[in-house]
Amino acid sequence: MLTRRHLLLAAPALAVVRPGFAEDPPAADAPVAPAPETDTLQAILTRAEGLAALKAIVISRDGERLAERGYHGHSPRDSTNIKSASKSIVSALVGIAIARGLLEGVDQPIAPLLRGELPENPDPRLSRVTIGHLLSMQSGLAPSYARLAASRNWVRFTLSEPFTEDPGGPMVYATASTHLLSAILMRVGAASTERLAEDWFAPVEGFRIGSWSRDPQRIPIGGNQMAMTTRSLHAFGELYRRGGRTADGVQVVPEHWVQTSWEPRTFSRHSGDGYGYGWFLREIGGAPVRFAWGYGGQMLYIVPSLALTVAMTSQEASPSAANGYRDQLHALLSDIIATTRRG
């Protein structure tokens, strides 16, 4: 449960800033009193006021909205940069593209698809990088986001960078991988990735991308800088919880793609969490959880065993892992899971 112990354990990390980011860490969160066994969902959400960076939460079970709440002057209707949580949305677009025959599958090499952006003397390993490697962060290409953003051509820059691992090797988390997927989707879909998302997700009630930043070549940034409300992020989570179907039964994302995305293919060297195709995997509150995670604490949790979908958005300017805030959000979810189990 989200108790005083959770916050005290995280306190020593509050002074740590993730290397490569200049933002100050958020202020220490207020202590939260221990929760009794009979705690209600509303009591848990009220206690979450102690999390200073939290902006909004939306919770549903088996399609029924259980609760939603805004914090510190924010609302679930407010737009937030969901950061890397958007990698799960890019993964869904890839799954749809494969189902539509625009891509051959996860084993398709990317070099022929990006032939015009390859360096003059490409590393031979580029020919071994596949769509699946980009999805699971196992391409071996991992330029820092700061260097990527400073480049004049993000795709060409990524493909020209030295490999940090061989393709198919350990997970190396990098937005560059999902940005290559955005470029590939644009090429095979003959439209911007944003337009493809607008068209392909049109049947999903409540889902909308408010804005999406682009690179110098006007390619929407794959896996970052996507604005969305907490309600919209929750709507996307509900789509996946239902196996890629809308509430009306329209199959938007192939059901097998949802399950494939949630199969562990590698592990984060930092957290130990499993990672599939754009989704993290771990146990929280005694239940297997699939979740999207964005910088600052943009979270989309799906708990299939409880038919539970929880979206949380936070201030996006500060880290969430190094300061312990992400773990506090996991603890909040654990409380929600415990209360949901009690009925």
Side-chain angles (χ1 to χ4, degrees):
M1 294 183 294
L2 185 65
T3 64
R4 183 185 302 270
R5 177 176 175 272
H6 286 117
L7 293 169
L8 290 176
L9 286 174
L14 288 171
V16 179
V17 179
R18 179 184 296 178
F21 291 93
E23 297 90 348
D24 292 329
D29 293 304
V32 179
E37 288 290 323
T38 57
D39 212 2
T40 66
L41 184 58
Q42 291 303 323
I44 290 169
L45 295 184
T46 298
R47 195 166 60 254
E49 290 276 0
L51 299 173
L54 188 61
K55 293 173 71 172
I57 298 178
V58 179
I59 305 168
S60 68
R61 185 178 190 187
D62 202 19
E64 178 186 355
R65 186 69 56 86
L66 298 182
E68 67 172 25
R69 186 175 296 196
Y71 295 88
H72 314 300
H74 299 283
S75 161
R77 298 183 298 274
D78 294 344
S79 188
T80 295
N81 184 345
I82 65 169
K83 298 289 188 176
S84 286
S86 60
K87 289 177 170 63
S88 302
I89 295 170
V90 172
S91 172
L93 291 172
V94 171
I96 296 171
I98 292 172
R100 289 172 176 247
L102 300 176
L103 292 171
E104 296 171 8
V106 294
D107 295 326
Q108 183 175 3
I110 69 166
L113 295 167
L114 299 171
R115 193 183 309 276
E117 302 296 344
L118 294 176
E120 188 172 334
N121 296 300
D123 188 310
R125 287 174 289 185
L126 279 175
S127 65
R128 292 161 43 198
V129 177
T130 66
I131 295 290
H133 290 149
L134 297 180
L135 288 164
S136 63
M137 299 291 166
Q138 293 177 284
S139 71
L141 296 167
S144 73
Y145 185 75
R147 294 180 61 238
L148 179 71
S151 67
R152 296 182 178 181
N153 184 315
W154 291 26
V155 173
R156 191 172 300 167
F157 174 79
T158 300
L159 296 173
S160 301
E161 280 288 281
F163 278 78
T164 59
E165 300 283 353
D166 286 336
M171 178 183 181
V172 185
Y173 193 84
T175 292
S177 287
T178 34
H179 189 63
L180 292 182
L181 288 172
S182 181
I184 289 168
L185 286 166
M186 279 191 66
R187 188 149 302 182
V188 301
S192 78
T193 319
E194 186 174 5
R195 174 56 62 86
L196 294 176
E198 181 180 330
D199 292 346
W200 293 352
F201 290 123
V204 184
E205 184 177 358
F207 178 86
R208 180 177 176 272
I209 297 172
S211 64
W212 196 351
S213 298
R214 300 171 180 244
D215 75 359
Q217 282 64 51
R218 306 294 296 164
I219 300 170
I221 299 173
N224 201 359
Q225 304 300 94
M226 180 187 289
M228 187 175 292
T229 69
T230 316
R231 285 181 175 177
S232 185
L233 184 61
H234 177 270
F236 176 73
E238 275 289 274
L239 178 72
Y240 259 61
R241 183 194 63 78
R242 289 189 296 259
R245 291 181 297 277
T246 67
D248 297 331
V250 178
Q251 195 76 49
V252 175
V253 180
E255 185 171 10
H256 73 84
W257 183 257
V258 173
Q259 299 307 319
T260 295
S261 299
W262 288 347
E263 293 175 6
R265 301 177 185 281
T266 185
F267 295 88
S268 167
R269 65 183 68 183
H270 304 293
S271 67
D273 294 339
Y275 196 76
Y277 287 158
W279 291 85
F280 287 94
L281 316 164
R282 72 177 295 159
E283 186 175 291
I284 298 176
V289 176
R290 292 83 168 98
F291 67 99
W293 168 33
Y295 185 81
Q298 322 312 324
M299 314 299 295
L300 175 59
Y301 297 105
I302 301 175
V303 189
S305 62
L306 295 172
L308 187 68
T309 303
V310 180
M312 303 180 187
T313 53
S314 305
Q315 298 290 347
E316 59 266 27
S318 299
S320 62
N323 60 17
Y325 178 61
R326 177 201 57 196
D327 295 334
Q328 293 169 355
L329 296 181
H330 287 348
L332 175 56
L333 177 68
S334 181
D335 280 355
I336 293 169
I337 288 173
T339 300
T340 301
R341 279 204 183 100
R342 291 196 297 267

